[in-house]
Amino acid sequence: MKRMLKGIISLAIVLSICVLPVNAAEGPYTVRNTNWGSGDGMILNCYTSGAVVSGTQVSTWTNTGNASQRWYIFRESNGKSSLRPAANTSLALNANRSAIGTTANVLTVSTNNPADYQFASSLHVGSFKLSLYARYAHTNTVYLTSHGAKTMCTWQYYNANTDWQAY
């Protein structure tokens, strides 16, 4: 009996080590657009002077050190990634699928369609493009674009000004 109990405990320990947590978060990171400026001059920002809530628009801004400018990379259960503000991780960077050129925002994950916030490419420390697969009226991949310092980020079909870096 003792031997079987040891075996069961050993198996439980091995299984707990091998199983990766669902929605594991990495970060928080600062995410900057590498097409505009250098260093952390143009970083991804939840555009608010108060709480980060569902619907808050996303812009580039100078670094203030606020939690609204820090982001977690979440590994979703299906292997894709989402980008969530450190100020409120129940939200994720979202693609507004109604029209190209609309301002990017953050929306509540639990009531959103995963295809609207889980990215096509893997997010990691270093450089990446923030892109979402085609869906609804969009026949092509959409990319998060920046238009310079202190401007709202928008979703576009072209991939210019779409190079981001987490550090």
Side-chain angles (χ1 to χ4, degrees):
M1 182 69 169
K2 242 184 185 180
R3 194 172 179 186
M4 185 168 27
L5 185 58
K6 280 184 181 179
I8 291 172
I9 291 172
S10 295
L11 180 61
I13 290 170
V14 169
L15 287 175
S16 68
I17 291 170
C18 293
V19 175
L20 293 174
V22 173
N23 291 345
E26 299 170 18
Y29 300 112
T30 299
V31 178
R32 74 177 179 100
N33 188 284
T34 60
N35 301 107
W36 301 101
S38 60
D40 57 7
M42 306 305 146
I43 64 173
L44 200 59
N45 172 73
C46 290
Y47 191 73
T48 181
S49 59
V52 177
V53 297
S54 189
T56 298
Q57 294 181 324
V58 175
S59 67
T60 54
W61 206 259
T62 52
N63 194 344
T64 64
N66 193 294
S68 64
Q69 296 180 321
R70 304 283 287 161
W71 298 85
Y72 281 96
I73 296 172
F74 268 68
R75 303 292 175 211
E76 304 295 343
S77 58
N78 62 1
K80 293 185 180 179
S81 303
S82 65
L83 201 56
R84 301 187 189 193
N88 187 346
T89 58
S90 69
L91 308 174
L93 181 63
N94 174 74
N96 183 327
R97 301 288 183 160
S98 60
I100 285 298
T102 55
T103 302
N105 62 9
V106 290
L107 288 181
T108 305
V109 170
S110 62
T111 57
N112 197 359
N113 187 317
D116 283 346
Y117 67 86
Q118 293 180 359
F119 291 98
S121 57
S122 178
L123 305 183
H124 51 82
V125 174
S127 298
F128 49 79
K129 289 190 182 290
L130 291 172
S131 61
L132 292 158
Y133 293 112
R135 203 164 80 76
Y136 291 141
H138 303 297
T139 56
N140 297 312
T141 300
V142 292
Y143 297 91
L144 184 70
T145 64
S146 171
H147 305 288
K150 299 182 179 181
T151 61
M152 295 298 179
C153 296
T154 61
W155 294 96
Q156 302 288 344
Y157 287 133
Y158 58 83
N159 64 5
N161 303 332
T162 61
D163 297 316
W164 299 89
Q165 179 183 41
Y167 61 97

